[in-house]
Amino acid sequence: MSNLKQIMTLTFLFLSLCLSACTKPIQDVSIKTETSSAISEPSVIKPSEENSMQGSDVSQNTTNEHITQVLSSGVEVDADILIPASMQKSELPEMFGRGHVIDQNLVASVFFEGEKSPEKQTEEFKDFSMFSKDSVYSTWTLEKERLTISGTSANFSNGRNEVGYYLFSEFPTSLPFGDNRVTYLSGENLEFSTIDEAKSQIQKYVNSLGISVLEPTCYTMDYDTMRAVYDGRTALETYDTDFDFIIEPQKKDEQYIFDYPIAVNGMPLGNFEGGGYSDDSYMAGTFLRMIYGEEGIRAMTLPYALDVTEVGAMQPVLTLDEALQIVDDKYNSIIMEGNYKIDKIEMAYTPIQQQNVTEAKIIPVWRFQTNHTLQYSAKNDSNEIVEMTDTSYILINALDGTELLHENGEI
């Protein structure tokens, strides 16, 4: 199975079960920014039973840094700048790693502890998960509970996250909401459990995976907020009951969503949307998502994780100005139609798969989220103008300035 097919398969599985958390920019970025408070270095949560997860302020995973300018190519930049505190350095290393293979029996024993006796099925499914040659695909089912593990990936659902699935989205191009995560960044506790209590209950599941993660971002999906999201969408003239698939929330649907950045040497892998690139070398970043409701764990998704095997020498990192110049040169080299806008800038590590599919080179990248808007004449009325916007991404290697190209060659 090609890497691109793996990505598509994992993305589908990820979305079917549950559908970053960064801070201020590196210190030598020469741009005018708004005032923001200092953010402390994120702590790494090691995979051991002794870990006690401390409560984290959601502001650790937000930023007030913003840049507004127009490039010489005419591209408008009006973007938040999201960079982890751990990567706010003038030098960073290139790293190497391999896919973290999950201990299937250990994870299953934690999810189905006590008197539970799930039915287990095992089948051969070659190269199902990223960075893994493990062909054993195992599924445990008990009534509505379902746990699946293959190589480096693991997913769980108890069937109770359906409403949340339709009212929460991190994808800017998704319908009907786009990225609406900030709506749930209240930091408020739910009646059945505080945020810290929920995190404490989740820790044993995180430990069973055997991976290192950073402090999570917590989204509180309380009834009032979910109801406001539901009412706001259904009240729009563009709402289509056959297309939007929104489920009306109830009080029992309240839940927390915890997104844990996967740690590589104490720094996060980028949880970038998309991932099909020209030579199948670029792999989408990832994070561990745990969803917690009144009855306990409702869902878990882990597309893959990496174990770092080597950390290279420190190398100079491109400043944001330098990375923007590379993007500007790219747009200056093409004939552009319509309007182009960069509305989000991120920095994180991303893995590049090697010839041995279990191994990866892990590099820091600048990622620019772009929107391309074109106007068309409507099919039914040539006098009516229809505006279409396509969201895409540009990734620049922050160490050598080369671009990681999309598979279709488009910007």
Side-chain angles (χ1 to χ4, degrees), residues 11 56 100 113 145 164 172 200 254 298 352 397 403:
T11 300
S56 61
H100 173 80
E113 61 185 350
E145 295 182 70
S200 178
E254 291 189 328
R298 287 185 173 174
I352 300 176
N397 185 327
E403 181 184 357

Side-chain angles (χ1 to χ4, degrees), residues 188-299:
E188 296 295 324
N189 294 317
L190 297 174
E191 292 178 5
F192 62 81
S193 171
T194 67
I195 293 175
D196 286 345
E197 289 169 346
K199 286 169 61 179
S200 178
Q201 292 299 313
I202 286 172
Q203 183 60 46
K204 64 180 179 181
Y205 301 97
V206 177
N207 288 339
S208 71
L209 295 167
I211 63 176
S212 293
V213 297
L214 303 178
E215 277 292 316
T217 297
C218 177
Y219 302 95
T220 301
M221 298 191 70
D222 61 283
Y223 172 75
D224 290 340
T225 303
M226 286 191 292
R227 185 77 213 188
V229 171
Y230 175 86
D231 291 342
R233 179 58 190 173
T234 55
L236 296 177
E237 293 182 359
T238 56
Y239 176 69
D240 186 339
T241 56
D242 296 324
F243 182 70
D244 285 341
F245 305 113
I246 299 178
I247 300 177
E248 185 173 1
Q250 300 180 44
K251 181 70 174 178
K252 65 180 182 180
D253 297 317
E254 291 189 328
Q255 61 187 19
Y256 296 113
I257 295 181
F258 293 93
D259 283 350
Y260 295 79
I262 302 299
V264 285
N265 194 33
M267 290 171 278
L269 285 175
N271 57 327
F272 303 147
E273 179 183 352
Y277 283 73
S278 55
D279 58 358
D280 270 352
S281 63
Y282 171 73
M283 310 296 291
T286 187
F287 58 93
L288 168 67
R289 172 166 290 173
M290 305 292 289
I291 300 178
Y292 190 87
E294 60 182 353
E295 76 282 8
I297 294 291
R298 287 185 173 174

Side-chain angles (χ1 to χ4, degrees), residues 295-316:
E295 76 282 8
I297 294 291
R298 287 185 173 174
M300 171 194 72
T301 57
L302 176 66
Y304 69 90
L306 294 169
D307 295 326
V308 176
T309 58
E310 179 183 346
V311 179
M314 301 294 283
Q315 301 180 51

